[in-house]
């Protein structure tokens, strides 16, 4: 039987927040603990972060540590999930170079996520070539581990499509009827709320740039304060007024975080009838969030005080990942007949 292998990761451009948690981290931990996978690789994508942060490498470096703490905090276990740093695997960049020949510039320009990012960053007239090509590098990240499953948020769907295209093209050109590379499947969060958690302000997406995020590392009082500022229903003025739950961020978060769905349903009904105030719902949400966040915060802090242990975990994971990628690269080069000295 062929192996089941997971590869996924995050750009270290900041600490991870609740959007990352419900969109991907929670699922990763569940998959890790399900013992259904033969190998799991979790990559800190610093080289990808540099494609749009070339001028601030010190920040990227600092965030590698923060993201590692977030991983350990949510319960990723280095014994079962290999956590590594992308830039330390030259194999990934060799693969990228070869894949680049199989992709057209116009195809890259059509990638909807890249397009949205270009607009958001104001790159229109000066797109860094590395940025435009990061989906190719992402195909290298995935295929270098023979990944079969890539658990990610919905915004990564175009990357997976592009990866699958590259795999098919590669196998077609160099495979001689054989599958040299494995075509991966995307694994999206099961519920719509978790696919795209809105920000505190009700904007479509929780993000560092928009300043509307709750971080996994936020202290309890900060979380409570942020929940107080959450967007609810502007037409719900008096407690007795009937309120709306659609687009009401507090209820959206309850849907994403509260396992007691009966209580949430009851609260929604009460709110819609009138007579349930925002203060009460927010208070309940704070309790619900703390159930998730308290243990994460505690574990995260414990590791924060043991930085040497965290760095050594990253070093071990990176060595292991490099060995795996080297095997796959050797296979790729053989298939391309560029193994002159074998
Ligand atoms: N693009 C992902 C992000 O923005 C990070 C990433 C890089 C990734 N390479 C990957 C995710 C490979 C999954 C698989 O966070």
């Amino acid at each position: 039987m062929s192996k089941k292998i997971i590869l996924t990761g995050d750009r270290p451009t900041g600490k991870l927040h609740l959007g990352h948690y419900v969109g991907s981290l929670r699922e990763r931990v569940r998959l890790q603990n399900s013992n259904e996978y033969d190998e799991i690789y979790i990559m800190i994508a610093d080289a990808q972060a540099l494609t749009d942060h070339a001028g601030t490498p010190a920040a990227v470096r600092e965030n590698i540590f923060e993201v590692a703490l977030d991983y350990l905090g949510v319960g990723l276990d280095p014994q079962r999930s290999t956590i590594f740093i992308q830039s330390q695997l030259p194999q990934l960049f060799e693969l990228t170079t070869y894949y680049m020949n199989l992709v057209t510039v116009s195809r890259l320009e059509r990638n909807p996520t890249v397009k949205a990012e270009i607009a958001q960053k104001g790159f229109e007239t000066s797109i860094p070539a590395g940025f435009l090509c990061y989906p190719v590098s992402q195909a290298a990240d995935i295929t270098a581990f023979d990944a079969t499953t890539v658990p990610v948020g919905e915004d990564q769907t175009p990357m997976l499509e592009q990866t699958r295209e590259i795999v098919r093209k590669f196998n077609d050109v160099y495979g001689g009827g054989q599958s040299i590379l494995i075509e991966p499947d995307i694994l999206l969060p099961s519920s719509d709320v978790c696919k795209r958690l809105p920000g505190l302000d009700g904007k479509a997406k929780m993000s560092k740039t928009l300043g509307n995020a709750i971080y996994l590392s936020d202290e309890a009082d900060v979380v409570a304060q942020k929940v107080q500022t959450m967007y609810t229903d502007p037409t719900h003025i008096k407690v007795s007024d009937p309120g709306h739950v659609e687009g009401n961020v507090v209820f959206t978060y309850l849907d994403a975080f509260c396992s007691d769905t009966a209580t949430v349903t009851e609260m929604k009904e009460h709110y819609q009838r009138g007579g349930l105030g925002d203060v009460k719902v927010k208070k309940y949400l704070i309790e619900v969030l703390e159930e998730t966040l308290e243990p994460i915060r505690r574990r995260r802090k414990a590791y924060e005080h043991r930085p040497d242990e965290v760095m050594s975990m990253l070093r071990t994971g990176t060595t292991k990942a490099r060995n795996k990628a080297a095997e796959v690269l050797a296979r790729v080069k053989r298939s391309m007949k560029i193994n002159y000295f074998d």
Side-chain angles (χ1 to χ4, degrees), residues 7-12 20 28 43-45 48 86 117 134 137-139 141-142 150-152 155-156 159-160:
L7 176 290
T8 185
D10 303 275
R11 292 183 199 174
H20 296 114
R28 279 182 216 174
M43 181 181 74
I44 303 181
Q48 189 174 109
Q86 183 187 28
E117 285 174 303
Y134 90 71
S137 142
Q138 196 156 333
D141 302 336
I142 294 167
V150 184
V152 279
D155 62 330
Q156 298 298 302
M159 307 307 159
L160 265 289

Side-chain angles (χ1 to χ4, degrees), residues 77-311:
D77 168 7
Q79 299 302 321
R80 287 183 280 178
S81 300
T82 301
I83 302 174
F84 70 97
I85 304 176
Q86 183 187 28
S87 64
Q88 305 306 297
L89 274 60
Q91 293 80 5
L92 300 179
F93 310 104
E94 283 195 59
L95 287 174
T96 304
T97 297
Y98 301 130
Y99 296 171
M100 211 89 87
N101 302 330
L102 307 175
V103 182
T104 64
V105 172
S106 67
R107 174 65 182 90
L108 289 167
E109 285 169 342
R110 277 201 313 274
N111 184 308
T113 298
V114 173
K115 253 182 161 165
E117 285 174 303
I118 287 171
Q120 189 202 343
K121 295 171 205 295
F123 274 165
E124 285 93 341
T125 54
S126 57
I127 310 170
F131 186 78
L132 187 66
C133 296
Y134 90 71
V136 182
S137 142
Q138 196 156 333
D141 302 336
I142 294 167
T143 53
F145 296 88
D146 287 336
T148 53
T149 311
V150 184
V152 279
E154 203 172 27
D155 62 330
Q156 298 298 302
T157 307
M159 307 307 159
L160 265 289
E161 275 168 16
Q162 203 150 9
T163 299
R164 293 167 63 92
E165 281 174 36
I166 290 171
V167 168
R168 286 197 289 264
K169 181 100 194 214
F170 188 98
N171 288 340
D172 197 36
V173 176
Y174 302 112
Q178 270 186 318
S179 286
I180 309 295
L181 299 177
I182 298 200
E183 216 174 307
D185 287 318
I186 191 168
L187 186 59
L188 292 170
S190 49
S191 82
D192 282 346
V193 215
C194 296
K195 279 185 189 148
R196 194 162 285 247
L197 192 73
L200 297 167
D201 51 3
K203 293 250 169 63
K205 197 179 165 180
M206 178 175 279
S207 90
K208 189 187 64 157
T209 332
L210 298 173
N212 60 5
I214 294 178
Y215 294 93
L216 295 172
S217 49
D218 278 348
E219 294 293 346
D221 57 333
V222 175
V223 175
Q225 237 168 45
K226 288 183 175 174
V227 172
Q228 306 300 352
T229 70
M230 252 180 200
Y231 180 83
T232 57
D233 170 10
T235 70
H236 184 244
I237 297 168
K238 287 193 298 247
V239 171
S240 56
D241 290 342
H244 297 85
V245 299
E246 309 80 38
N248 186 323
V249 182
V250 183
F251 283 104
T252 309
Y253 279 46
L254 283 176
D255 284 336
F257 286 94
C258 188
S259 48
D260 180 0
T261 51
T263 301
V264 176
T265 307
E266 203 180 289
M267 285 179 99
K268 282 183 181 170
E269 279 163 13
H270 192 175
Y271 192 83
Q272 285 167 313
R273 268 198 317 273
L276 179 58
D278 285 326
V279 174
K280 270 209 182 132
V281 193
K282 285 181 172 176
K283 187 157 172 271
Y284 183 60
L285 175 61
I286 292 169
E287 280 171 32
V288 166
L289 288 179
E290 273 312 295
E291 261 175 56
T292 297
L293 287 174
E294 193 279 328
I296 294 177
R297 196 183 292 128
R298 191 156 28 84
R299 264 196 304 265
R300 197 184 189 282
K301 270 210 187 112
Y303 281 109
E304 204 176 330
H305 294 121
R306 302 186 327 248
D308 293 349
E309 202 179 308
V310 176
M311 288 316 288

